[in-house]
Amino acid sequence: MNRGGRSAAADSNGVAKNMLTVRNWVSLDCTGRSTVLDVDKHVIMRRAQIHARDLRIIDPLLSYPSAILGRERAIVLNLEHIKAIITAEEVLLRDPSEENVIPVLQELHHRLPANFAHHAEGEAIGHYGVTEVNVPPFEFRALEVALEAICHWLDARTKELEASAYPILDELTCKISSVNLDKVRRLKSTTTRLTASVQKVRDEIEQLLEDDNDMANLYLSRKMATESPRLDDSQTVNSPFLISKSPKISKASVATNQGSDYNVEELEMLLEAYFIQIDSTLNKLNTLREYVDDTEDYINLQHDNHRNQLIQLELFLSACTVSLTFYSLVGGIFGMNIPFSWNDNHEYIFNWVVTIGGLISALILVTVLAFARFKGLIGS
């Protein structure tokens, strides 16, 4: 029984370890045919010929920021929920069963076969004397799907945030309460996180646009065509770490050569289109953030106005207190147990004291308020 229990525990631990190491991938080729892969990271590294550090970038458990990295044989994409490896022949998409990844997978199924058929149609038209259709390479078609999906996803989240944010801010300006302030606090936190995500994607695209060598390094099909005569079959298949071992075909030299030999205008136009789109989304978020800041400034002005009104009220009450203090002083003097000879048989003296004391108190109050208004301490 003990041996059986130990073996069962060992089996369960082994299954748990396998579940931790195995990740669900899907592979799509240029015809849109998909294959589900339940493999570990070493198989993916050998298949895409990338390093372990590149695979860690798209690990959802490590929470790396968005990145578009060009490698010798692949493009590593980490765009929020889109985590993929693009080669010249296939796309390896991670966790295809997630809710946000399913539309990307469907779009790849829809676009890749259509572009493949369109490419064949363009060749046929060119054969009959019509201008041949220029179809982008496979890696650019897959990259375009990923960029389009992440731009649309971020723009949709921005529109949802705008639809809920402006009514909350307008409600806060009408009624300042703890509930509305808490809503604005959560809104500001969401806006900050979304702005950081959009800004990171924008920075990655902008960084590629600023360097022609980085863009040339994304031309995987060209690199395969130029480097294939220099590599034998055993090196191509069995050496995923060929980049670091062979200085003759280092990434920097390949990018430099391709940047000088090839025109990157095609990729530049592709990136510029989505840069404009993601920049527009960022402008919407900046506008929303400015509206939040303007609302906070308006609320602070309201608080300052209320504070000034309280100060004016306090000044008015202080002036009233001073005048009444003088009036109570007169009453206190006449209330003392001191005999006054002129108080006998002179009842009219009481009326004069009360009237004159009240007039002096009122005069003190008017004088203090007039002086405060002259100094600008209270409003007119």
Side-chain angles (χ1 to χ4, degrees), residues 211-265:
D211 196 337
D212 290 345
N213 291 332
D214 289 343
M215 285 191 288
N217 198 37
L218 301 182
Y219 281 81
L220 304 179
S221 300
R222 289 178 177 175
K223 287 194 293 185
M224 289 185 62
T226 55
E227 296 176 10
S228 56
R230 294 181 294 176
L231 302 176
D232 56 25
D233 295 337
S234 60
Q235 287 177 327
T236 304
V237 176
N238 299 324
S239 180
F241 306 106
L242 190 58
I243 302 172
S244 60
K245 293 182 179 180
S246 178
K248 295 181 181 180
I249 55 171
S250 63
K251 182 171 65 176
S253 62
V254 172
T256 304
N257 293 333
Q258 291 184 352
S260 59
D261 296 339
Y262 296 114
N263 189 5
V264 296
E265 183 179 357

Short mmCIF file of all heavy atoms in Angstrom, two decimals, residues 211-265:
data_model
loop_
_atom_site.label_atom_id
_atom_site.label_comp_id
_atom_site.label_asym_id
_atom_site.label_seq_id
_atom_site.Cartn_x
_atom_site.Cartn_y
_atom_site.Cartn_z
N ASP A 211 14.93 52.97 -37.32
CA ASP A 211 16.15 52.24 -37.66
C ASP A 211 15.89 51.33 -38.85
O ASP A 211 15.11 50.37 -38.76
CB ASP A 211 16.62 51.41 -36.46
CG ASP A 211 18.07 50.94 -36.62
OD1 ASP A 211 18.53 50.86 -37.77
OD2 ASP A 211 18.72 50.65 -35.60
N ASP A 212 16.51 51.63 -40.00
CA ASP A 212 16.34 50.81 -41.19
C ASP A 212 16.93 49.42 -41.01
O ASP A 212 16.44 48.44 -41.58
CB ASP A 212 16.98 51.49 -42.40
CG ASP A 212 16.22 52.74 -42.82
OD1 ASP A 212 15.06 52.90 -42.38
OD2 ASP A 212 16.78 53.56 -43.57
N ASN A 213 18.00 49.30 -40.22
CA ASN A 213 18.60 47.99 -39.99
C ASN A 213 17.66 47.07 -39.23
O ASN A 213 17.59 45.87 -39.51
CB ASN A 213 19.92 48.14 -39.25
CG ASN A 213 20.99 48.79 -40.10
OD1 ASN A 213 20.97 48.68 -41.32
ND2 ASN A 213 21.92 49.49 -39.46
N ASP A 214 16.96 47.63 -38.25
CA ASP A 214 15.98 46.82 -37.51
C ASP A 214 14.85 46.37 -38.42
O ASP A 214 14.38 45.23 -38.32
CB ASP A 214 15.42 47.62 -36.34
CG ASP A 214 16.44 47.81 -35.23
OD1 ASP A 214 17.44 47.05 -35.24
OD2 ASP A 214 16.26 48.70 -34.40
N MET A 215 14.41 47.25 -39.31
CA MET A 215 13.36 46.85 -40.24
C MET A 215 13.87 45.81 -41.23
O MET A 215 13.17 44.84 -41.57
CB MET A 215 12.81 48.07 -40.98
CG MET A 215 11.91 48.95 -40.14
SD MET A 215 11.04 50.21 -41.11
CE MET A 215 12.40 51.30 -41.50
N ALA A 216 15.10 45.98 -41.71
CA ALA A 216 15.67 45.00 -42.64
C ALA A 216 15.85 43.64 -41.97
O ALA A 216 15.78 42.60 -42.63
CB ALA A 216 17.01 45.51 -43.17
N ASN A 217 16.04 43.64 -40.66
CA ASN A 217 16.21 42.39 -39.94
C ASN A 217 14.91 41.59 -39.86
O ASN A 217 14.93 40.40 -39.54
CB ASN A 217 16.74 42.67 -38.53
CG ASN A 217 17.34 41.44 -37.90
OD1 ASN A 217 17.99 40.64 -38.56
ND2 ASN A 217 17.14 41.30 -36.60
N LEU A 218 13.78 42.23 -40.15
CA LEU A 218 12.49 41.53 -40.13
C LEU A 218 12.17 40.86 -41.46
O LEU A 218 11.17 40.15 -41.55
CB LEU A 218 11.36 42.51 -39.78
CG LEU A 218 11.47 43.21 -38.42
CD1 LEU A 218 10.25 44.09 -38.19
CD2 LEU A 218 11.62 42.22 -37.28
N TYR A 219 12.97 41.08 -42.48
CA TYR A 219 12.76 40.43 -43.77
C TYR A 219 13.30 39.00 -43.69
O TYR A 219 14.41 38.71 -44.15
CB TYR A 219 13.45 41.22 -44.88
CG TYR A 219 12.71 42.43 -45.34
CD1 TYR A 219 12.77 43.62 -44.63
CD2 TYR A 219 11.93 42.41 -46.49
CE1 TYR A 219 12.09 44.75 -45.05
CE2 TYR A 219 11.24 43.53 -46.92
CZ TYR A 219 11.33 44.70 -46.19
OH TYR A 219 10.66 45.82 -46.61
N LEU A 220 12.54 38.10 -43.13
CA LEU A 220 12.99 36.73 -42.92
C LEU A 220 13.14 35.99 -44.24
O LEU A 220 14.07 35.20 -44.42
CB LEU A 220 12.01 35.99 -42.00
CG LEU A 220 11.76 36.64 -40.64
CD1 LEU A 220 10.75 35.82 -39.84
CD2 LEU A 220 13.05 36.79 -39.86
N SER A 221 12.21 36.20 -45.16
CA SER A 221 12.28 35.49 -46.44
C SER A 221 13.54 35.89 -47.20
O SER A 221 14.21 35.05 -47.81
CB SER A 221 11.04 35.82 -47.27
OG SER A 221 9.86 35.41 -46.60
N ARG A 222 13.88 37.16 -47.20
CA ARG A 222 15.10 37.61 -47.88
C ARG A 222 16.34 37.03 -47.23
O ARG A 222 17.28 36.64 -47.92
CB ARG A 222 15.15 39.13 -47.88
CG ARG A 222 14.14 39.80 -48.80
CD ARG A 222 14.24 41.31 -48.69
NE ARG A 222 13.33 41.97 -49.61
CZ ARG A 222 13.16 43.28 -49.65
NH1 ARG A 222 13.82 44.06 -48.81
NH2 ARG A 222 12.31 43.82 -50.52
N LYS A 223 16.36 36.99 -45.91
CA LYS A 223 17.52 36.45 -45.22
C LYS A 223 17.70 34.97 -45.52
O LYS A 223 18.82 34.49 -45.69
CB LYS A 223 17.40 36.69 -43.71
CG LYS A 223 17.60 38.13 -43.31
CD LYS A 223 17.80 38.28 -41.83
CE LYS A 223 16.56 37.93 -41.04
NZ LYS A 223 16.74 38.19 -39.61
N MET A 224 16.60 34.25 -45.57
CA MET A 224 16.71 32.83 -45.91
C MET A 224 17.21 32.65 -47.34
O MET A 224 18.00 31.75 -47.63
CB MET A 224 15.34 32.15 -45.75
CG MET A 224 14.90 31.98 -44.31
SD MET A 224 13.36 31.06 -44.18
CE MET A 224 13.85 29.50 -44.90
N ALA A 225 16.77 33.51 -48.25
CA ALA A 225 17.20 33.39 -49.65
C ALA A 225 18.67 33.73 -49.81
O ALA A 225 19.36 33.13 -50.63
CB ALA A 225 16.35 34.31 -50.52
N THR A 226 19.17 34.68 -49.04
CA THR A 226 20.57 35.09 -49.18
C THR A 226 21.52 34.22 -48.39
O THR A 226 22.68 34.06 -48.75
CB THR A 226 20.74 36.54 -48.71
OG1 THR A 226 20.24 36.67 -47.37
CG2 THR A 226 19.98 37.49 -49.63
N GLU A 227 21.05 33.62 -47.28
CA GLU A 227 21.93 32.84 -46.42
C GLU A 227 21.89 31.35 -46.71
O GLU A 227 22.76 30.62 -46.26
CB GLU A 227 21.57 33.06 -44.95
CG GLU A 227 21.79 34.48 -44.50
CD GLU A 227 21.34 34.69 -43.07
OE1 GLU A 227 21.04 33.67 -42.42
OE2 GLU A 227 21.28 35.84 -42.63
N SER A 228 20.89 30.87 -47.42
CA SER A 228 20.78 29.43 -47.66
C SER A 228 21.96 28.85 -48.41
O SER A 228 22.38 27.73 -48.12
CB SER A 228 19.47 29.12 -48.40
OG SER A 228 19.40 29.86 -49.60
N PRO A 229 22.59 29.53 -49.40
CA PRO A 229 23.76 28.92 -50.05
C PRO A 229 24.95 28.76 -49.13
O PRO A 229 25.81 27.93 -49.37
CB PRO A 229 24.08 29.90 -51.19
CG PRO A 229 22.81 30.63 -51.43
CD PRO A 229 22.17 30.74 -50.09
N ARG A 230 24.99 29.56 -48.04
CA ARG A 230 26.16 29.50 -47.17
C ARG A 230 26.02 28.48 -46.06
O ARG A 230 26.94 28.25 -45.30
CB ARG A 230 26.42 30.88 -46.56
CG ARG A 230 26.82 31.93 -47.59
CD ARG A 230 27.09 33.25 -46.92
NE ARG A 230 25.87 33.81 -46.36
CZ ARG A 230 25.84 34.92 -45.65
NH1 ARG A 230 26.94 35.57 -45.39
NH2 ARG A 230 24.70 35.38 -45.18
N LEU A 231 24.83 27.89 -45.89
CA LEU A 231 24.59 26.96 -44.80
C LEU A 231 24.27 25.60 -45.37
O LEU A 231 23.52 25.47 -46.32
CB LEU A 231 23.43 27.45 -43.93
CG LEU A 231 23.60 28.83 -43.31
CD1 LEU A 231 22.33 29.20 -42.56
CD2 LEU A 231 24.79 28.87 -42.39
N ASP A 232 24.81 24.56 -44.76
CA ASP A 232 24.43 23.22 -45.17
C ASP A 232 23.20 22.78 -44.43
O ASP A 232 22.71 23.43 -43.51
CB ASP A 232 25.59 22.23 -44.95
CG ASP A 232 26.09 22.25 -43.51
OD1 ASP A 232 25.29 22.61 -42.63
OD2 ASP A 232 27.27 21.91 -43.28
N ASP A 233 22.67 21.62 -44.79
CA ASP A 233 21.41 21.17 -44.22
C ASP A 233 21.53 20.85 -42.75
O ASP A 233 20.61 21.09 -41.97
CB ASP A 233 20.91 19.94 -44.99
CG ASP A 233 20.59 20.28 -46.43
OD1 ASP A 233 20.32 21.47 -46.71
OD2 ASP A 233 20.61 19.36 -47.27
N SER A 234 22.64 20.26 -42.32
CA SER A 234 22.78 19.88 -40.91
C SER A 234 22.80 21.10 -40.01
O SER A 234 22.22 21.12 -38.94
CB SER A 234 24.06 19.07 -40.72
OG SER A 234 25.19 19.85 -41.11
N GLN A 235 23.44 22.19 -40.46
CA GLN A 235 23.46 23.42 -39.66
C GLN A 235 22.09 24.04 -39.58
O GLN A 235 21.65 24.52 -38.55
CB GLN A 235 24.44 24.42 -40.26
CG GLN A 235 25.90 24.05 -40.04
CD GLN A 235 26.82 25.03 -40.72
OE1 GLN A 235 26.48 25.58 -41.77
NE2 GLN A 235 27.97 25.26 -40.14
N THR A 236 21.35 24.00 -40.71
CA THR A 236 20.05 24.65 -40.74
C THR A 236 19.06 23.95 -39.84
O THR A 236 18.26 24.58 -39.16
CB THR A 236 19.51 24.66 -42.18
OG1 THR A 236 20.46 25.30 -43.01
CG2 THR A 236 18.18 25.40 -42.26
N VAL A 237 19.13 22.62 -39.76
CA VAL A 237 18.12 21.87 -39.01
C VAL A 237 18.50 21.69 -37.57
O VAL A 237 17.68 21.83 -36.66
CB VAL A 237 17.89 20.50 -39.68
CG1 VAL A 237 16.91 19.67 -38.87
CG2 VAL A 237 17.40 20.68 -41.10
N ASN A 238 19.78 21.42 -37.29
CA ASN A 238 20.16 20.96 -35.96
C ASN A 238 20.81 22.03 -35.10
O ASN A 238 21.22 21.74 -34.00
CB ASN A 238 21.14 19.78 -36.09
CG ASN A 238 20.52 18.61 -36.81
OD1 ASN A 238 19.32 18.36 -36.64
ND2 ASN A 238 21.30 17.90 -37.62
N SER A 239 20.94 23.24 -35.57
CA SER A 239 21.64 24.26 -34.79
C SER A 239 20.77 25.48 -34.60
O SER A 239 20.84 26.44 -35.34
CB SER A 239 22.95 24.66 -35.49
OG SER A 239 23.62 25.63 -34.73
N PRO A 240 19.94 25.45 -33.55
CA PRO A 240 19.10 26.62 -33.29
C PRO A 240 19.88 27.79 -32.74
O PRO A 240 19.39 28.89 -32.69
CB PRO A 240 18.08 26.09 -32.27
CG PRO A 240 18.79 24.98 -31.58
CD PRO A 240 19.67 24.36 -32.62
N PHE A 241 21.10 27.54 -32.27
CA PHE A 241 21.91 28.62 -31.68
C PHE A 241 23.04 29.01 -32.62
O PHE A 241 24.14 29.33 -32.21
CB PHE A 241 22.49 28.18 -30.34
CG PHE A 241 21.45 27.68 -29.39
CD1 PHE A 241 21.33 26.34 -29.12
CD2 PHE A 241 20.57 28.56 -28.80
CE1 PHE A 241 20.36 25.88 -28.26
CE2 PHE A 241 19.60 28.10 -27.93
CZ PHE A 241 19.49 26.75 -27.67
N LEU A 242 22.76 28.96 -33.92
CA LEU A 242 23.78 29.24 -34.92
C LEU A 242 24.18 30.71 -34.90
O LEU A 242 25.29 31.06 -35.29
CB LEU A 242 23.24 28.87 -36.30
CG LEU A 242 24.24 28.88 -37.47
CD1 LEU A 242 25.38 27.93 -37.20
CD2 LEU A 242 23.54 28.51 -38.76
N ILE A 243 23.32 31.57 -34.44
CA ILE A 243 23.60 33.01 -34.46
C ILE A 243 24.78 33.34 -33.56
O ILE A 243 25.68 34.07 -33.94
CB ILE A 243 22.36 33.79 -34.01
CG1 ILE A 243 21.20 33.45 -34.92
CG2 ILE A 243 22.62 35.28 -34.00
CD1 ILE A 243 19.89 34.02 -34.43
N SER A 244 24.77 32.79 -32.35
CA SER A 244 25.82 33.13 -31.40
C SER A 244 27.12 32.39 -31.70
O SER A 244 28.18 32.80 -31.25
CB SER A 244 25.36 32.80 -29.98
OG SER A 244 25.06 31.42 -29.89
N LYS A 245 27.07 31.26 -32.43
CA LYS A 245 28.27 30.48 -32.66
C LYS A 245 29.01 30.90 -33.93
O LYS A 245 30.17 30.61 -34.10
CB LYS A 245 27.90 28.99 -32.77
CG LYS A 245 27.39 28.41 -31.46
CD LYS A 245 27.09 26.94 -31.62
CE LYS A 245 26.58 26.33 -30.31
NZ LYS A 245 26.27 24.91 -30.44
N SER A 246 28.34 31.52 -34.87
CA SER A 246 28.96 31.85 -36.14
C SER A 246 29.04 33.36 -36.31
O SER A 246 28.04 34.00 -36.60
CB SER A 246 28.15 31.25 -37.30
OG SER A 246 28.74 31.61 -38.53
N PRO A 247 30.19 33.98 -36.08
CA PRO A 247 30.29 35.44 -36.21
C PRO A 247 30.17 35.91 -37.64
O PRO A 247 29.92 37.08 -37.89
CB PRO A 247 31.68 35.75 -35.64
CG PRO A 247 32.47 34.48 -35.82
CD PRO A 247 31.47 33.37 -35.68
N LYS A 248 30.34 35.03 -38.63
CA LYS A 248 30.27 35.46 -40.02
C LYS A 248 28.86 35.89 -40.41
O LYS A 248 28.69 36.68 -41.32
CB LYS A 248 30.75 34.34 -40.94
CG LYS A 248 32.22 33.99 -40.75
CD LYS A 248 32.64 32.89 -41.71
CE LYS A 248 34.11 32.53 -41.50
NZ LYS A 248 34.52 31.45 -42.43
N ILE A 249 27.85 35.33 -39.77
CA ILE A 249 26.47 35.66 -40.12
C ILE A 249 25.76 36.23 -38.91
O ILE A 249 24.65 35.85 -38.59
CB ILE A 249 25.73 34.43 -40.67
CG1 ILE A 249 25.81 33.28 -39.66
CG2 ILE A 249 26.26 34.00 -42.00
CD1 ILE A 249 24.93 32.10 -40.03
N SER A 250 26.45 37.07 -38.18
CA SER A 250 25.84 37.68 -37.00
C SER A 250 24.67 38.55 -37.41
O SER A 250 24.55 38.98 -38.55
CB SER A 250 26.88 38.52 -36.24
OG SER A 250 27.31 39.57 -37.06
N LYS A 251 23.81 38.81 -36.44
CA LYS A 251 22.59 39.57 -36.69
C LYS A 251 22.91 40.99 -37.14
O LYS A 251 22.26 41.53 -38.03
CB LYS A 251 21.74 39.59 -35.42
CG LYS A 251 20.43 40.30 -35.59
CD LYS A 251 19.56 40.10 -34.39
CE LYS A 251 20.17 40.71 -33.16
NZ LYS A 251 19.28 40.60 -32.01
N ALA A 252 23.91 41.60 -36.56
CA ALA A 252 24.24 42.97 -36.93
C ALA A 252 24.74 43.06 -38.37
O ALA A 252 24.37 43.96 -39.12
CB ALA A 252 25.29 43.53 -35.98
N SER A 253 25.58 42.08 -38.76
CA SER A 253 26.11 42.13 -40.12
C SER A 253 25.02 41.86 -41.14
O SER A 253 24.97 42.50 -42.19
CB SER A 253 27.23 41.10 -40.28
OG SER A 253 26.74 39.79 -40.06
N VAL A 254 24.12 40.91 -40.86
CA VAL A 254 23.02 40.62 -41.78
C VAL A 254 22.11 41.82 -41.93
O VAL A 254 21.69 42.19 -43.03
CB VAL A 254 22.24 39.38 -41.31
CG1 VAL A 254 20.99 39.20 -42.15
CG2 VAL A 254 23.13 38.14 -41.39
N ALA A 255 21.79 42.46 -40.78
CA ALA A 255 20.90 43.63 -40.83
C ALA A 255 21.55 44.76 -41.61
O ALA A 255 20.90 45.46 -42.38
CB ALA A 255 20.56 44.08 -39.42
N THR A 256 22.87 44.94 -41.42
CA THR A 256 23.54 46.02 -42.14
C THR A 256 23.58 45.76 -43.63
O THR A 256 23.32 46.65 -44.44
CB THR A 256 24.97 46.17 -41.59
OG1 THR A 256 24.91 46.39 -40.18
CG2 THR A 256 25.68 47.33 -42.26
N ASN A 257 23.89 44.51 -43.99
CA ASN A 257 23.93 44.18 -45.41
C ASN A 257 22.57 44.32 -46.06
O ASN A 257 22.44 44.85 -47.15
CB ASN A 257 24.45 42.75 -45.59
CG ASN A 257 25.91 42.63 -45.19
OD1 ASN A 257 26.65 43.60 -45.26
ND2 ASN A 257 26.33 41.44 -44.77
N GLN A 258 21.54 43.84 -45.37
CA GLN A 258 20.21 43.93 -45.95
C GLN A 258 19.70 45.36 -45.96
O GLN A 258 18.94 45.74 -46.84
CB GLN A 258 19.24 43.04 -45.18
CG GLN A 258 19.52 41.56 -45.39
CD GLN A 258 18.51 40.70 -44.70
OE1 GLN A 258 17.69 41.20 -43.95
NE2 GLN A 258 18.55 39.42 -44.97
N GLY A 259 20.11 46.17 -44.96
CA GLY A 259 19.69 47.55 -44.97
C GLY A 259 20.26 48.32 -46.14
O GLY A 259 19.66 49.27 -46.63
N SER A 260 21.45 47.88 -46.60
CA SER A 260 22.04 48.57 -47.74
C SER A 260 21.61 47.98 -49.07
O SER A 260 21.58 48.68 -50.07
CB SER A 260 23.58 48.51 -47.62
OG SER A 260 24.00 47.15 -47.58
N ASP A 261 21.29 46.66 -49.10
CA ASP A 261 20.95 46.00 -50.36
C ASP A 261 19.47 46.05 -50.67
O ASP A 261 19.10 46.00 -51.83
CB ASP A 261 21.42 44.54 -50.32
CG ASP A 261 22.94 44.46 -50.21
OD1 ASP A 261 23.60 45.45 -50.56
OD2 ASP A 261 23.44 43.40 -49.77
N TYR A 262 18.63 46.11 -49.65
CA TYR A 262 17.20 45.99 -49.86
C TYR A 262 16.49 47.26 -49.44
O TYR A 262 16.92 47.97 -48.54
CB TYR A 262 16.63 44.80 -49.08
CG TYR A 262 17.17 43.47 -49.55
CD1 TYR A 262 17.98 42.71 -48.71
CD2 TYR A 262 16.85 42.97 -50.81
CE1 TYR A 262 18.48 41.49 -49.14
CE2 TYR A 262 17.34 41.76 -51.24
CZ TYR A 262 18.16 41.02 -50.40
OH TYR A 262 18.65 39.83 -50.82
N ASN A 263 15.37 47.49 -50.07
CA ASN A 263 14.54 48.63 -49.72
C ASN A 263 13.52 48.20 -48.67
O ASN A 263 12.86 47.17 -48.82
CB ASN A 263 13.83 49.13 -50.98
CG ASN A 263 13.11 50.44 -50.73
OD1 ASN A 263 13.22 51.02 -49.65
ND2 ASN A 263 12.38 50.91 -51.71
N VAL A 264 13.43 48.97 -47.61
CA VAL A 264 12.52 48.64 -46.52
C VAL A 264 11.24 49.46 -46.60
O VAL A 264 10.52 49.59 -45.60
CB VAL A 264 13.20 48.85 -45.15
CG1 VAL A 264 14.37 47.91 -44.98
CG2 VAL A 264 13.66 50.31 -45.00
N GLU A 265 10.96 50.03 -47.75
CA GLU A 265 9.79 50.90 -47.89
C GLU A 265 8.50 50.14 -47.65
O GLU A 265 7.54 50.69 -47.09
CB GLU A 265 9.78 51.53 -49.28
CG GLU A 265 8.64 52.51 -49.49
CD GLU A 265 8.68 53.13 -50.88
OE1 GLU A 265 9.61 52.83 -51.65
OE2 GLU A 265 7.76 53.93 -51.17
#
